[in-house]
Amino acid sequence: MPAAMPRFFLTVLVLVAASWSPAYAQRTQLKPGWNTFSPQQDIQVGKQAALDAQRQLPPCNLPRADAYLTQLGKKLVAHLNTGGTEYPWEFHCVNDRAINAFALPGGFVFVNRGAIEVADNEAQLAAVMAHELSHVALRHGTNQATKAQAAQFGVGIFGALFGGSTGGALLTQLGSFTAGGVLLRYSRSAETQADVMGTQVLYDSGYDPRAMAQFFEKLDQQTKGKNPPEFLSDHPNPDHRVERVDEEIQKLGGAPPNARRDSAEFEAVKREVMALPVVKKVPKAAAATPTGNGPSGAPPAPSPNFATYQSSGYTLQYPDNWKQFGGENSVAFGPEGGVVNDGSGHGAMAYGLTIGTAPQQANANDSGSVLTNATQQIISELQQRNPNMKVARQPQSVKLNNEPALSTYLSNDSPGGGQEIDWLITVERPEGVLYFVCTAPQNDFDNYHKTFNAILDSVRFSH
Ligand SMILES: [Zn+2]
């Protein structure tokens, strides 16, 4: 890598110079960390999660507030280093009095009314938003997901993203807002980075950068009360938060004397937001729990009209009101709202179909057919990830598009509460054993059985 060498030495020289002489003091340089996602996948994952978030969170329904947040957000984005990626920035006001804000990968920003109400001026609101925008630019959400998945599945499998047997489920999980457990579980070092970059963005946008530290001091005061601000559960407080922000301001040359602090528009929006009726919060678990075919929680019934999915190995038809997640090696289909919080902050598929290919087993000494062995292997892998999963009906011979296949029924805890049924169909193909997992809560399974059957009946292998 000869081309990289001069830059490396240059960096070392600059760092040495900076540490030796205060005259070289300059802003902290920050870059995104290890990430197996592409920035385009940040947008894809974030967009899905944002749709899910919008479905779950009460909107302020104040066009003026949304327009104001968008205008302020874009003013800050103009001074944000995204490494050249154009994110589709969206800003939403949420009718929730908890002091919080969050940004999903790809630039989908949600600001609670509580954050607007607690801010003393526009600069403090800009500080929270600059912090959130920095999480997007530094790609902290998918960086966390990269680390979490590597720990769970190993880098090799995850490197292919959708290549592993868990791939479809992976994107399904990340695409749900309830997967915030992964996408918004920032480390303390990520928090410090967002503070530092956010301070730089404030400074470059003409705002008083001290607003960043002031906002955190306000949060600290709230923490001493009964209910610590929600912001701190998503954005854990790093040590010396305020000091680090002050240090960065010094590196930038101090707070500019004419820095902007407030605006008439901020005060007007704050007044409107404060006058909003308070929306009672539905507990997250309750909001996500499917309740049969009832109007609340359960996803809409499968459409009788079907869309076509085509991979290199097969085609199938699925209800046209279901979404497709992932693709090619591992793909999942499910209704809007079919992914729910599993109780630990992770998304899990409660309704839908996951399709994948089990890697070829090297062990050829086992007795029994390839299909039987591979099916047992798939079941035991599923059981490792779902300790309460049990075989409800042993594998039985069936046909899938005239090919010999095995049908196995499994029971498991449903992520939305109660029990679910996982209907597993396995079939041997040239590229490995293809598996279909049809999932629905037990009390809803009969309603979905017909749909799953129709999907499986429509499968056509292309070779
Ligand atoms: Zn944060």
Side-chain angles (χ1 to χ4, degrees):
M1 312 198 301
M5 291 295 275
R7 181 183 293 178
F8 172 72
F9 283 120
L10 188 66
T11 309
V12 171
L13 285 176
V14 169
L15 285 177
V16 167
S19 59
W20 279 356
S21 161
Y24 285 83
Q26 56 175 330
R27 64 179 56 200
T28 306
Q29 302 291 326
L30 294 162
K31 277 189 185 152
W34 178 42
N35 208 315
T36 52
F37 293 74
S38 67
Q40 288 311 311
Q41 284 173 325
D42 275 30
I43 296 170
Q44 191 191 354
V45 161
K47 189 174 265 173
Q48 287 289 344
L51 285 172
D52 213 16
Q54 278 178 273
R55 208 173 42 74
Q56 291 189 26
L57 303 174
C60 292
N61 279 330
L62 289 179
R64 185 177 190 173
D66 285 327
Y68 168 73
L69 290 177
T70 303
Q71 179 211 346
L72 175 57
K74 293 203 166 162
K75 197 192 290 179
L76 299 168
V77 163
H79 300 278
L80 183 73
N81 179 5
T82 62
T85 305
E86 297 257 353
Y87 290 111
W89 300 101
E90 276 183 21
F91 299 87
H92 302 275
C93 176
V94 180
N95 190 351
D96 184 341
R97 301 201 72 178
I99 302 168
N100 206 356
F102 66 91
L104 291 160
F108 304 87
V109 184
F110 293 79
V111 180
N112 279 2
R113 68 183 282 190
I116 300 172
E117 288 169 343
V118 80
D120 289 328
N121 50 47
E122 181 168 281
Q124 287 185 11
L125 178 62
V128 188
M129 291 177 70
H131 174 102
E132 297 302 330
L133 300 176
S134 301
H135 279 311
V136 175
L138 293 166
R139 307 184 57 214
H140 284 148
T142 47
N143 168 251
Q144 287 299 117
T146 297
K147 289 189 279 190
Q149 294 295 333
Q152 199 173 349
F153 302 122
V155 180
I157 293 174
F158 186 62
L161 191 57
F162 302 130
S165 61
T166 52
L170 169 65
L171 193 70
T172 306
Q173 287 182 3
L174 291 184
S176 77
F177 165 61
T178 44
V182 175
L183 293 178
L184 301 174
R185 195 193 296 136
Y186 303 126
S187 64
R188 285 187 163 75
S189 67
E191 283 308 303
T192 298
Q193 290 187 355
D195 290 352
V196 168
M197 188 184 254
T199 303
Q200 297 169 353
V201 169
L202 273 186
Y203 180 90
D204 293 341
S205 309
Y207 284 102
D208 187 338
R210 291 171 298 188
M212 183 71 77
Q214 286 159 3
F215 187 80
F216 290 127
E217 277 166 350
K218 278 183 87 89
L219 286 183
D220 256 354
Q221 287 159 14
Q222 303 264 343
T223 309
K224 289 174 185 115
K226 272 188 202 137
N227 299 311
E230 210 173 276
F231 185 88
L232 294 175
S233 60
D234 285 349
H235 306 263
N237 226 346
D239 289 338
H240 312 298
R241 187 162 215 168
V242 168
E243 290 84 345
R244 183 63 188 87
V245 167
D246 287 342
E247 187 188 318
E248 193 63 23
I249 295 172
Q250 290 316 306
K251 288 187 183 182
L252 293 165
N258 313 322
R260 201 177 316 137
R261 294 183 59 75
D262 209 359
S263 74
E265 189 59 10
F266 169 79
E267 295 301 335
V269 165
K270 180 171 169 174
R271 275 195 304 273
E272 274 197 25
V273 162
M274 287 179 99
L276 277 175
V278 174
V279 173
K280 273 234 172 80
K281 261 179 131 177
V282 184
K284 264 186 192 164
T289 301
T291 55
N293 276 333
S296 65
S303 161
N305 302 316
F306 283 71
T308 301
Y309 170 74
Q310 176 156 25
S311 83
S312 59
Y314 61 91
T315 61
L316 60 72
Q317 313 280 320
Y318 64 96
D320 67 359
N321 65 340
W322 283 16
K323 291 189 292 184
Q324 179 198 326
F325 306 94
E328 200 49 32
N329 293 327
S330 186
V331 64
F333 303 92
E336 187 86 49
V339 179
V340 303
N341 195 325
D342 68 355
S344 65
H346 295 84
M349 186 170 257
Y351 295 81
L353 168 67
T354 309
I355 306 169
T357 307
Q360 300 279 6
Q361 297 301 312
N363 190 349
N365 296 331
D366 290 342
S367 58
S369 74
V370 171
L371 182 57
T372 307
N373 288 339
T375 303
Q376 291 304 338
Q377 182 69 31
I378 290 165
I379 292 170
S380 65
E381 275 180 25
L382 287 170
Q383 285 175 324
Q384 271 173 27
R385 279 184 278 130
N386 303 277
N388 293 330
M389 184 175 267
K390 295 185 180 64
V391 175
R393 198 192 298 170
Q394 290 296 331
Q396 291 178 311
S397 293
V398 291
K399 286 271 170 71
L400 190 67
N401 187 204
N402 292 323
E403 298 289 330
L406 287 175
S407 159
T408 312
Y409 284 87
L410 303 152
S411 70
N412 191 25
D413 295 339
S414 178
Q419 287 286 297
E420 72 178 20
I421 293 177
D422 296 288
W423 181 21
L424 171 70
I425 301 283
T426 43
V427 59
E428 198 184 347
R429 300 302 304 149
E431 56 274 13
V433 169
L434 192 62
Y435 64 84
F436 299 75
V437 185
C438 307
T439 302
Q442 192 163 34
N443 59 9
D444 236 2
F445 197 81
D446 284 347
N447 297 324
Y448 278 81
H449 209 180
K450 209 176 83 190
T451 302
F452 292 142
N453 259 324
I455 297 171
L456 293 168
D457 280 346
S458 74
V459 171
R460 294 292 175 271
F461 298 120
S462 38
H463 46 80

